[in-house]
Amino acid sequence: VTVKDAIEQYRHTRNPKETLLKFGRCLAHFAVDTDLIYMTTCLTGEDTNFLPFNQGNNQSAGNPNNPNGFKTAYLWEQILEKDSLLNILDNFVQMRDILDDKGKKTGKQEIIFPRYHQLDAVRKLVADCLTYGTGKSYLIQHSAGSGKSETIAWLALHLASLKNDQNQRVFNSILVITDRKNLDQQLQNTIKGFNHVPGTITPIKNNKSTQLAKALETGDDIIISTLQTFRFALEKITSLQGSRFAVIIDEAHSSESGKSKEAVKTILSFNNLETAEEIDNNEPDAEEEINQIVANHQQLKGRVSHVSYFAFTATPKPKTLETFGIPVEQPDGKTEFIPFSLYSMRQAIEENFILDVLQNYTTFKTYFKLVQAIAQDPKYSKIKAAKKIKDYADLHPHAIRSKIKVIVDHFHNQVADQIDGQAKAMIVTRSRLHAVRYKLEIDRYIKEEGYAYKALVAFTGGIIDQENPLPEAYTETRMNGIPESQTTEAFKGKEYRFLIVAKKFQTGFNQPLLQTMYVDKPLKGVEVVQTLSRLNRIHPNKNQVFVLDFMNETDEIQKVFQTYYQATILSEATDQNKLYDLQYSLESFGIFTTADVENLARVYFPTKENPQPNQANLHPILNPIADKFKERSPEEQALFRKKLGDYVSNYAFLVQVITFSDVYLEKLYQFARFLLPKVRTEGGSLAMDISDRISMDSYRIQQTSTGQIKLLTEDGELVPFTNSDTSKPATEKTAPLSEILDYINKHFDPGDLSDADKLNAFAEDMTQKLEEKEDLIRALDPTINPSEETRELAFETVYKNLLEEIVDENNFDIYQQLTDNPSFVDLFIKVMFKNFQKHLEQRQGLQESG
């Protein structure tokens, strides 16, 4: 049997594993060059499902130069060396059922071989644990599309059976923390692929705390649990001093877990989009939550020597690198932090395991002009009011409708036929309320244009939209007409082409048919990569992707992606002096004193006289301080609360890497932690105030750039927490509303806004006002008033009355344009009547179907 014969037999036999074992045992006896060349071609060529052992060259595709021979020599010298290959065949290779789009078995199977970075990571992690035992932390930075599920499964399997020189298990149990429903099945399938391994898997599902405690106490081999039980799990494994544990943390930034998931389960009511965006954007990120749990645990218990951490992520944050990364001393005395194992985004793209999501990136800019709608000229904070006015323009109903038109038309003309007519799109919005309004508008527009597409929406909790009221709250289930648990499965259907999301599915969502993304949300930091990476999954007929971005600039997108394109390092350790800077900054507000902190500490910390303190006794200390907070200006309140939150999060992080001798810092941490929920800033009042005093004059969306965003072949660098602002907040300057509007218009009015831009915005504004006229709605109801002529007359009467009212809103130029040309105004009213009547019919149809 030659190598070539063995490979061919491997591909066609009914028992491929047995063939591979025979192949491996006899491989060492073959040294014929032609066979090795053929094998090398198979391993490094296009047949990547066979043995894709591409080593990589400086985090790119290919292999490094070999001064002693072929670049691929490492294949037969290391990977296919007798003991190495037998280890691969015994502990990595497996058969897997091929599933269809609905997750059902097709009757076909595929052979899974580890890719080079997977094999390398698992072997190096196992070797390090064997050398140093337990108590270390490891960061595995593997790009999206790197096969993290398989890598985690293989690592868990190896760690569960790892024994030291005394033939003792290094770890009694392996705890896998994940929120991916498919991973427990993935692990079970992997274990089943090795029938000689006695390892068992315990998924924690019902009675989580009780079941988890029992599994840990009895030393079950591999235990799979969720982030929600992570805090309890750490407490439990810390108390089990006689056992040793490996904690594998899967993709530490799922947006559907932990506190953030619980926080959005409540039904919230909003009457403006600005407040909804602010609330949703302040929800905690799950990666931060994991860091926080580990920090709090280590703060109380210290670093425990019988627990090792293995954190998997494609986009580590600074805290994640400093918590789990490897510290490397630099010549200048600083300490960098790097991942233990790295498989870069660049290499994954060049090896064609994922797509480059920046290949077709189009940005849009909105141009508009706003006018003052009241005779008075009240004063506002210039900075804050300018932001709220800009938000008003971006979130105006006319803006949403204009964007939906651009989105649906672009999809219909350029996307719908992609991937053999199966292409799908995701619309990323700023908040759950935005998602609700986008769903209502896209349903209306699709029906109006007669398209066969359907849209789904994805968000958690319930939303009461006061501008689109329903007897019950809007929920994902209500709007989609299917249970929330079935949204992902339903999106696979041919008719569903749009998925509108608000945080949910911006991370961890895997749909290869997703080909285009429409972004109408400011993306910051790692969220840029996590969100846009939903597009990078490969599909046989998918060779390009599109991004249309209404909110972000290409240079900012490029900057963030560059950080994670190759290696990601943390430039230096966090300086503990910055914590003192924050302390000084907080105390300089004069809202609390050191005596307040000491008083809370005496009540909070247990003593011999009071071993179990009652937290209810903290409120009499904190309430007067919260009252002082309320007396401050909105600007001071916002800054104080931000710095208080910064202190809480950064102290909790720093205690795991720095030993503090100053006990007052711990007292201030507990004080700040309990004060934070009591000092909330008032949100939304300024937005409502201003939105009632301005109106849209003109509006236009214009494409500003298109093409590929190119990345450089260099490593990315993150910087640790910094706090440069230690001064008291400056008094904000105020200005009349007219002056602020002039400032905004100069920046967003290009000077060439046409009459069409003006009339489109005006028509949208009038439509909104007409919808508030209940008498008109009844008069236009055909069941009440069957005569179209009578309905049109009623509409004309109400419309002309409204037209007179707009003079009081400083819209005299539009009023003059309409009234100076009677034939035009008559035509305009007729068109408005037809459109408004059609709008009411569609709205009624949507309400009935919803």
Side-chain angles (χ1 to χ4, degrees), residues 292-306:
Q292 186 76 28
I293 291 172
V294 174
N296 290 343
H297 180 265
Q298 293 183 348
Q299 169 199 341
L300 296 173
K301 309 292 184 180
R303 286 184 176 271
V304 290
S305 60
H306 65 289

Side-chain angles (χ1 to χ4, degrees), residues 814-837:
I814 293 182
Y815 174 81
Q816 188 176 30
Q817 182 178 351
L818 288 174
T819 54
D820 284 355
N821 190 338
S823 60
F824 175 76
V825 75
D826 288 342
L827 176 62
F828 189 76
I829 291 176
K830 286 183 181 296
V831 172
M832 283 293 296
F833 168 68
K834 295 288 187 184
N835 289 340
F836 188 69
Q837 192 167 242

Side-chain angles (χ1 to χ4, degrees), residues 52-64 74 115-118 141-146 342-355 564-567 713:
F53 277 118
N54 176 25
Q55 189 177 22
N57 182 17
N58 190 26
Q59 293 310 309
S60 63
N63 295 298
Y74 72 95
R115 286 152 62 184
Y116 182 87
H117 71 275
Q118 295 173 311
Q141 183 186 347
H142 286 189
S143 169
S146 65
L342 172 67
Y343 179 70
S344 71
M345 180 194 304
R346 176 189 173 189
Q347 187 170 346
I349 292 172
E350 292 183 1
E351 292 178 351
N352 298 317
F353 286 110
I354 61 174
L355 295 172
Y564 299 101
Y565 187 51
Q566 292 195 162
T713 55

Side-chain angles (χ1 to χ4, degrees), residues 5-166:
D5 293 332
I7 291 176
E8 293 302 320
Q9 184 180 3
Y10 165 87
R11 286 175 166 173
H12 296 101
T13 182
R14 293 185 178 182
N15 191 347
K17 185 172 181 181
E18 181 62 29
T19 303
L20 272 173
L21 287 171
K22 293 178 181 178
F23 166 47
R25 291 180 181 128
C26 70
L27 179 64
H29 300 291
F30 294 105
V32 182
D33 286 349
T34 55
D35 289 331
L36 288 175
I37 292 171
Y38 176 83
M39 181 171 62
T40 303
T41 303
C42 289
L43 301 184
T44 60
E46 295 180 354
D47 191 7
T48 53
N49 288 326
F50 178 54
L51 291 178
F53 277 118
N54 176 25
Q55 189 177 22
N57 182 17
N58 190 26
Q59 293 310 309
S60 63
N63 295 298
N65 288 324
N66 179 6
N68 300 315
F70 294 110
K71 289 183 179 181
T72 54
Y74 72 95
L75 282 168
W76 52 85
E77 293 174 355
Q78 300 174 31
I79 305 302
L80 299 180
E81 183 273 331
K82 181 173 59 176
D83 291 338
S84 171
L85 182 61
L86 288 174
N87 170 260
I88 292 171
L89 299 176
D90 256 1
N91 300 308
F92 287 91
V93 175
Q94 62 172 294
M95 294 293 295
R96 179 178 300 171
D97 292 317
I98 298 177
L99 307 179
D100 61 18
D101 291 341
K102 296 183 179 180
K104 295 182 179 180
K105 294 181 180 180
T106 61
K108 299 179 180 180
Q109 290 185 314
E110 60 181 345
I111 302 168
I112 301 299
F113 240 83
R115 286 152 62 184
Y116 182 87
H117 71 275
Q118 295 173 311
L119 181 72
D120 185 62
V122 172
R123 284 182 169 177
K124 285 181 178 178
L125 287 166
V126 168
D128 200 81
C129 292
L130 197 58
T131 301
Y132 298 104
T134 58
K136 292 185 66 176
S137 295
Y138 305 89
L139 178 63
I140 300 93
Q141 183 186 347
H142 286 189
S143 169
S146 65
K148 283 191 287 292
S149 294
E150 289 85 1
T151 307
I152 290 172
W154 283 319
L155 177 62
L157 182 67
H158 280 74
L159 295 180
S161 59
L162 184 62
K163 294 184 178 180
N164 58 23
D165 293 338
Q166 289 75 42

